[in-house]
Amino acid sequence: NQDALLANPQQHVEELEAQLRMAPTEEQFDEFWEAHEALVEAGRLPRAYQEEADTIYDKHGKRFGRQICK
């Protein structure tokens, strides 16, 4: 029983981008990101896709003054 996220990480990243782009409030934006972070912490997303997700966060987080600290 293969993990669906590991089977198609690009789809996860695309869905995350849509969620962050359309988040109506800062709180909703944070909720979407926190759900994503839980998957990352569980080791369910390959590194390259984590970096892509960080870039998406920075892109759409600007409207809420959010940026990944590196």
Side-chain angles (χ1 to χ4, degrees):
N1 188 15
Q2 188 177 19
D3 188 311
L5 181 54
L6 291 176
N8 195 348
Q10 185 61 44
Q11 181 179 354
H12 165 75
V13 172
E14 290 169 3
E15 290 172 1
L16 175 67
E17 181 167 21
Q19 290 174 330
L20 295 179
R21 180 180 60 244
M22 299 183 72
T25 65
E26 185 174 3
E27 291 78 20
Q28 184 118 40
F29 183 91
D30 291 341
E31 287 176 19
F32 289 139
W33 185 254
E34 288 168 11
H36 162 75
E37 286 281 281
L39 298 174
V40 170
E41 289 174 14
R44 296 178 58 208
L45 189 66
R47 181 89 183 125
Y49 294 96
Q50 292 175 29
E51 292 170 2
E52 185 176 351
D54 289 349
T55 299
I56 291 167
Y57 180 94
D58 286 345
K59 176 182 174 183
H60 296 293
K62 288 180 184 177
R63 66 191 159 120
F64 299 119
R66 299 281 200 253
Q67 184 175 6
I68 299 287
C69 297
K70 293 186 178 189

